[in-house]
Amino acid sequence: MKAIILGGFGGAEKMRFGDAERPRPGDGQILIKVAATSVNRPDVMQRQGNYAPPEGESEILGLEAAGRVEEVGAKVSGWQVGERVMALLAGGGYAEYAIAQADHAMAVPDGMDFERAACVCETYLTAYLNLFLIAGLGDRQAVLIHGGSGGVGTAAIQLCRALTTDAQIIATASAANLERVAALGADVVIDYRREEFAERVREVTGKRGADVILDHIGGPCLQSNMRALAVGGTLMLIGVLGGVKAELNLALAMVKRQRIIGSVLRSRPRAEKAAIIARFANTVLPLMADGRIAPLIAEVYPLAQAADAHRAMEAGGHFGKIVLRV
């Protein structure tokens, strides 16, 4: 099969379009003939040598894919060859064929094309898991979403708008994307390059702060995040794009009874991921099927141009997901 091959770790130039062995599904697995996959920040980190796949998983990049079931492994029920499928992967999406655990896959809703389906599993599951299953975001609470124009950010805004009543949605974004993030459903959008977001969050929440913060930046934002967080609030740390170290006023965190929770999806046990996906399928997929939630695509590249897609990801400024068409 054709796939994106890494010729060592480093920049996007390390990626090449070449030949790889076509995988075979084992017990409890399905083989997907991939129609589309998408680019996620962890793909860039893996390419740089900073995010290895779990032991035994494909070394090929790609954490989600959409296409048709090509082959069904032993001990699999509920899937038939030819069915439209989208799946969360531990790796292997940047290829013509990819292996998925059967219970990590979902049926593509009628009316959704494969390119949009390829945007669902990594980003929407990440946002749903961290905001709702872990942090417990509820009605009439305030949430701060960093990077409101990116894949996880746009997913998070849509989920907050669809799954809560009167939640106050605050997002950070670049100046070029302020209006689009607001149109997507954010009540307040902060230009993080021109405003101190902690003070702005406190201002728009009547000095109470955000009940939940979803952050992928890490170190440089920690102190401001804690100032922006309400008493009893939860900071969900899902990335460290800006750095891994920062100082923390522990006394203030104690007095305000704040929680900092680190969270990743890829390395969770298979059964745990299956349970998360099952809840997502019951709660969110119906909203995608009727069009209330629609994945947003910034750009589509052919698989052979994955290096250009990575450069676009690293340049930033995109609104929605960057997709690779296979």
Side-chain angles (χ1 to χ4, degrees), residues 77-162:
S77 61
W79 288 108
Q80 301 293 327
V81 171
E83 288 185 306
R84 289 172 13 111
V85 62
M86 54 188 180
L88 181 72
L89 310 176
Y94 289 21
E96 291 181 313
Y97 295 91
I99 291 291
Q101 300 298 319
D103 53 6
H104 292 180
M106 297 179 285
V108 177
D110 293 339
M112 180 182 287
D113 61 35
F114 285 131
E115 291 171 3
R116 282 180 170 75
C119 301
V120 171
C121 290
E122 174 67 15
T123 48
Y124 282 87
L125 279 168
T126 294
Y128 177 70
L129 166 66
N130 290 286
L131 289 173
F132 295 97
L133 300 188
I134 299 178
L137 181 68
D139 297 340
R140 291 174 290 279
Q141 288 190 321
V143 57
L144 170 62
I145 299 164
H146 285 294
S149 63
V152 173
T154 53
I157 291 169
Q158 290 180 310
L159 289 171
C160 290
R161 184 58 64 208

Side-chain angles (χ1 to χ4, degrees), residues 41-52:
R41 286 285 177 186
D43 301 339
V44 175
M45 293 171 59
Q46 182 175 336
R47 189 203 74 214
Q48 294 169 336
N50 298 322
Y51 194 45

Side-chain angles (χ1 to χ4, degrees), residues 12 15 24 58 74 76 83 94 97-98 105 118 139 151 195 197 221 233 256-257 267 287:
M15 306 166 68
R24 295 294 302 275
S58 175
V76 171
E83 288 185 306
Y94 289 21
Y97 295 91
D139 297 340
E195 296 184 79
F197 72 82
C221 286
K256 295 180 71 175
R257 306 187 302 281
S267 60
L287 305 179

Side-chain angles (χ1 to χ4, degrees), residues 206-232:
K207 298 186 178 180
R208 195 172 64 84
D211 298 285
V212 179
I213 298 177
L214 187 65
D215 176 49
H216 66 285
I217 305 298
C221 286
L222 180 61
Q223 292 192 35
S224 293
N225 276 333
M226 300 307 285
R227 290 199 306 273
L229 201 60
V231 172

Side-chain angles (χ1 to χ4, degrees), residues 248-255:
L248 175 64
N249 185 333
L250 295 175
L252 182 60
M254 291 167 60
V255 169

Side-chain angles (χ1 to χ4, degrees), residues 6 9-10 40-55 57-64 88-92 94 122 126 129-130 237-240 262-268 273 310:
L6 282 182
F9 298 125
N40 294 286
R41 286 285 177 186
D43 301 339
V44 175
M45 293 171 59
Q46 182 175 336
R47 189 203 74 214
Q48 294 169 336
N50 298 322
Y51 194 45
E55 185 176 354
E57 301 292 352
S58 175
E59 297 286 339
I60 295 172
L61 301 175
L63 298 179
E64 56 190 333
L88 181 72
L89 310 176
Y94 289 21
E122 174 67 15
T126 294
L129 166 66
N130 290 286
L237 182 62
I238 62 170
V240 287
S263 176
V264 295
L265 182 58
R266 187 183 197 181
S267 60
R268 291 176 184 270
K273 285 192 279 190
H310 271 229

